[in-house]
Amino acid sequence: MLEPRETPTRERRSLDGLWRFALDADGVGRGEGWWRGPLPGAREAPVPASYNDLFADARVHDHVGDVWYQTLVRVPDRWAGQRIVLRFGSATHRAVVWVNDTQVVEHEGGYTPFEADVTDVVEFGADNRVTAVVNNVLTWQSIPPGYVDQTPEGPRQWYFHDFFNYAGIHRTVWLYTTPTAYVRDVTVVTGLSGTAGTVGYEVETAGADGTEVRVGLADATGTEVARATGAAGELTVADVHPWRPGEGYLYTFTVELWRDGEGPVDVYPLPVGIRTVDVSGTRFLINGEPFYFRGFGKHEDTPVRGKGHDDVFLVHDFALLDWIGANSFRTSHYPYAEEVLDYADRHGLVVIDETAAVGLNAQLGATLAKTSFTTFSPDTVNDATREVHRQAIRELVARDKNHPSVVIWSIANEPESWTPASRAYFEPLVAEARRLDPTRPVAFANVLVATPDRDVLSDLFDVLMLNRYYGWYTDTGDLPAAERDLEVELSTWADRYGKPIIMTEYGADTVAGLHSVVAVPWTEEYQVELLAMYHRVFDRVDAVVGEHVWNFADFATSVTIMRVGGNRKGVFTRDRHPKAAAHLLRRRWRGSP
Ligand code: BDP
């Protein structure tokens, strides 16, 4: 799926800003046809942002069900004759959209884009009403899953993951044009051989009878280095400048649709980084060289705006990643905004790209949602859930396949992975991820109870990604015991699988400003000592090829007795101030004093 861009043949207009906003506490808006006129009430909400923390109102914060957004957009006369597309970067967790009185699209899944061709629905040279109903309910058939209890006070949402269920229109909404003959999709696969690079490509067009596809590749100075004709092929670049961690060198791959006598009827440029990714034994290779992941599991989470994308925090978070010496991060636990991946491409950050399949795990559910259930069953995570999960993988790959920064598909976080049912559930999903993209390793983040003796999934995957909390959830406060237990477990994984191991989570809740001369849990000193202990072990286990601390920053969670003002495992506070551990990491990762 292509991002909307301004090109010689395309225009785009952002619909971001204040929209009308209405809470549909009684769930009557769909029946009453709220899209047909101005929304009730006087509330307004910014797009993009989560709505939960905007108003001083618990009913909004804890709302379960539909909310409505509405705006007016003028479609210029000069756009007549073009194809007009309305595109949402995301709406969490599902949405139905109308333009004027016509329903144009509905979409399931809170973290991937969707769009509708609205050419026949809009009025040119006039204001058009765009209305979206956004629903935040998590069910056994959503990714991530959850369930709703009916209580005397109304519906109560439960879920099995450790981040607050922020909802709303979280990413930019675009109205954009394409010509009627247009480039619908582009897939590139890059390679390196000696000093040459290759860009294999496939272009999908629509309405393009009688046109010819021409492609060209320009280097970062704009000099054309290769060109070809035809919808599929391979370009060769002599003396290639590869994309590499720390240096986001990008070429521009430009697709043109030519019609005889008319010249290019559509033009679409795509940034392309030429690099390779491989797994060889216990090594993770980028451009044939061993790569060691240093960084974090992150969240899209900031004060007030929740999960709304924000360029200020984008730039600031990447500046902090650079300051601390991180070279990579995981999009825990859902696909992040496209702007984040574009930025990672340009700045040479390496990304583990994750679906929103978090919490497929009855054991975690028992802690977080105080309920007992069987993870995989006809009444809980079932075949229908798997289809939603499969679709989530498809949409992730469709959106992110061309990003050089993305080097691993993570198809789930901490699912149940020790039962025959879990294997039956995951086998086809792994196959699907490989079918969709044979070029990138596939992995999942393994939960601490799924030790090498219990786990039945890891042979299906290319890289072992382990989330471990020795010294926190187990061996609490006992770092010598934690050090022994961690090393035994890591060595067992290494011996048994001979695959690269990335520690995708390790950390300790830490209240900024809490100190103690004796390092006890929750203090800054304890976080420092715990991370240092993990690092000693990583350095002794050769198969470990990466360390991602949990978490980059403190983040909002649902209410449980395990959390005080959210999850405090951040190395930075929620407003991005460093805890003492930030300096430890900076010393290790940058070698800075
Ligand atoms: C793991 C989860 C992560 C949590 C973390 C924690 O993958 O989402 O936030 O533990 O407990 O179970 O801090």
Side-chain angles (χ1 to χ4, degrees):
M1 186 183 206
L2 299 178
E3 283 180 56
R5 293 184 202 284
E6 293 271 336
T7 86
T9 56
R10 298 173 175 223
E11 284 187 61
R12 65 177 191 183
R13 168 170 293 193
S14 159
L15 273 59
D16 293 357
L18 289 175
W19 291 40
R20 272 177 176 269
F21 177 81
L23 202 71
D24 191 356
D26 302 320
V28 296
R30 297 183 198 230
E32 292 178 0
W34 282 7
W35 62 88
R36 292 201 192 96
L39 294 180
R43 266 198 173 122
E44 297 179 50
V47 170
S50 300
Y51 59 77
N52 308 77
D53 291 346
L54 296 173
F55 308 100
D57 187 342
R59 284 169 310 163
V60 180
H61 182 262
D62 300 326
H63 176 66
V64 180
D66 287 346
V67 300
W68 294 73
Y69 286 82
Q70 191 173 68
T71 193
L72 291 176
V73 58
R74 205 171 167 77
V75 180
D77 268 329
R78 68 168 190 285
W79 283 11
Q82 303 290 304
R83 205 174 138 256
I84 316 294
V85 184
L86 177 65
R87 184 194 206 261
F88 285 68
S90 72
T92 312
H93 293 281
R94 63 191 60 78
V96 182
V97 180
W98 292 262
V99 171
N100 301 324
D101 285 348
T102 309
Q103 180 181 323
V104 294
V105 65
E106 60 184 303
H107 181 258
E108 171 70 28
Y111 305 97
T112 41
F114 55 96
E115 60 181 30
D117 182 333
V118 296
T119 317
D120 296 335
V121 179
V122 293
E123 236 185 283
F124 292 90
D127 279 344
N128 290 265
R129 196 173 57 247
V130 177
T131 310
V133 59
V134 179
N135 179 279
N136 69 347
V137 172
L138 297 174
T139 71
W140 289 113
Q141 278 66 55
S142 64
I143 292 294
Y147 70 94
V148 173
D149 255 352
Q150 296 303 332
T151 75
E153 293 73 43
R156 164 90 156 84
Q157 176 77 63
W158 294 95
Y159 42 91
F160 327 119
H161 54 267
D162 184 40
F163 54 92
F164 184 73
N165 187 32
Y166 279 118
I169 300 177
H170 284 150
R171 297 173 190 161
T172 293
V173 182
W174 294 106
L175 196 64
Y176 72 93
T177 70
T178 77
T180 49
Y182 65 100
V183 176
R184 183 155 57 194
D185 199 14
V186 182
T187 308
V188 296
V189 173
T190 63
L192 292 169
S193 122
T195 57
T198 53
V199 179
Y201 70 91
E202 254 181 62
V203 176
E204 219 183 277
T205 59
D209 286 353
T211 62
E212 179 186 67
V213 174
R214 298 186 187 177
V215 304
L217 192 73
D219 67 16
T221 69
T223 308
E224 188 171 271
V225 294
R227 58 164 43 250
T229 317
E234 187 172 271
L235 301 176
T236 302
V237 188
D239 291 324
V240 66
H241 191 146
W243 185 98
R244 54 169 75 94
E247 195 203 358
Y249 189 92
L250 296 174
Y251 290 84
T252 302
F253 178 82
T254 302
V255 184
E256 294 178 343
L257 275 186
W258 278 69
R259 190 172 274 140
D260 263 356
E262 264 183 68
V265 291
D266 193 18
V267 179
Y268 190 86
L270 180 79
V272 167
I274 302 179
R275 58 104 183 93
T276 60
V277 174
D278 293 291
V279 168
S280 168
T282 57
R283 294 287 159 256
F284 192 92
L285 305 176
I286 299 183
N287 302 341
E289 287 165 22
F291 178 70
Y292 192 92
F293 295 77
R294 304 185 307 259
F296 300 93
K298 286 186 92 258
H299 263 301
E300 292 189 313
D301 176 275
T302 57
V304 189
R305 68 182 67 227
K307 295 205 175 304
H309 173 72
D310 176 47
D311 282 341
V312 176
F313 275 98
L314 166 71
V315 170
H316 190 54
D317 281 5
F318 273 73
L320 294 177
L321 290 172
D322 181 51
W323 173 84
I324 207 165
N327 60 13
S328 55
F329 61 91
R330 176 169 61 120
T331 71
S332 39
H333 297 306
Y334 36 80
Y336 289 1
E338 290 155 288
E339 290 86 341
V340 178
L341 295 177
D342 290 338
Y343 202 86
D345 288 345
R346 291 196 297 274
H347 295 270
L349 264 281
V350 170
V351 177
I352 300 175
D353 206 2
E354 190 157 280
T355 68
V358 51
L360 283 69
N361 186 327
Q363 209 157 322
L364 292 180
T367 325
L368 292 167
K370 302 186 194 76
T371 187
S372 73
F373 56 89
T374 305
T375 308
F376 301 101
S377 83
D379 299 329
T380 55
V381 177
N382 60 19
D383 289 351
T385 318
R386 184 168 57 194
E387 285 319 300
V388 178
H389 193 167
R390 190 194 300 268
Q391 181 62 18
I393 295 171
R394 284 193 188 131
E395 291 186 21
L396 177 73
V397 176
R399 192 193 73 162
D400 292 346
K401 61 189 173 185
N402 293 324
H403 286 287
S405 56
V406 174
V407 302
I408 295 177
W409 301 118
S410 169
I411 66 168
N413 182 71
E414 299 194 343
E416 177 177 304
S417 58
W418 53 88
T419 50
S422 57
R423 190 164 174 107
Y425 178 90
F426 274 100
E427 254 177 336
L429 296 181
V430 180
E432 180 73 356
R434 293 194 192 289
R435 184 184 70 78
L436 292 165
D437 179 7
T439 73
R440 286 180 179 86
V442 180
F444 78 104
N446 162 302
V447 67
L448 63 92
V449 293
T451 49
D453 292 334
R454 297 185 76 207
D455 168 89
V456 296
L457 287 190
S458 290
D459 62 299
L460 300 173
F461 294 86
D462 304 303
V463 177
L464 303 174
M465 302 204 309
L466 307 177
N467 297 349
R468 289 298 178 270
Y469 288 96
Y470 290 109
W472 189 254
Y473 293 124
T474 57
D475 298 326
T476 312
D478 186 348
L479 293 179
E483 184 160 358
R484 284 191 297 277
D485 291 342
L486 174 65
E487 186 158 3
V488 168
E489 193 188 341
L490 286 183
S491 306
T492 312
W493 283 108
D495 294 346
R496 201 159 295 179
Y497 286 93
K499 294 182 183 186
I501 298 173
I502 303 171
M503 185 64 66
T504 32
E505 290 186 23
Y506 64 109
D509 280 275
T510 304
V511 177
L514 189 66
H515 291 285
S516 165
V517 284
V518 178
V520 290
W522 297 96
T523 63
E524 295 200 29
E525 286 75 10
Y526 190 75
Q527 190 182 31
V528 167
E529 290 201 10
L530 179 139
L531 297 184
M533 176 278 280
Y534 275 77
H535 298 156
R536 286 194 296 276
V537 176
F538 297 160
D539 293 346
R540 294 195 292 260
V541 180
D542 186 56
V544 173
V545 299
E547 48 195 63
H548 277 179
V549 178
W550 190 255
N551 187 287
F552 173 73
D554 295 346
F555 60 90
T557 63
S558 63
V559 173
T560 85
I561 53 162
M562 310 209 328
R563 301 286 177 249
V564 186
N567 187 309
R568 300 299 185 113
K569 294 193 187 69
V571 165
F572 296 92
T573 59
R574 199 177 187 213
D575 52 4
R576 276 49 178 177
H577 295 137
K579 300 179 190 172
H583 300 283
L584 167 95
L585 290 167
R586 188 163 191 262
R587 279 194 299 278
R588 175 170 169 86
W589 292 346
R590 282 199 87 108
S592 300

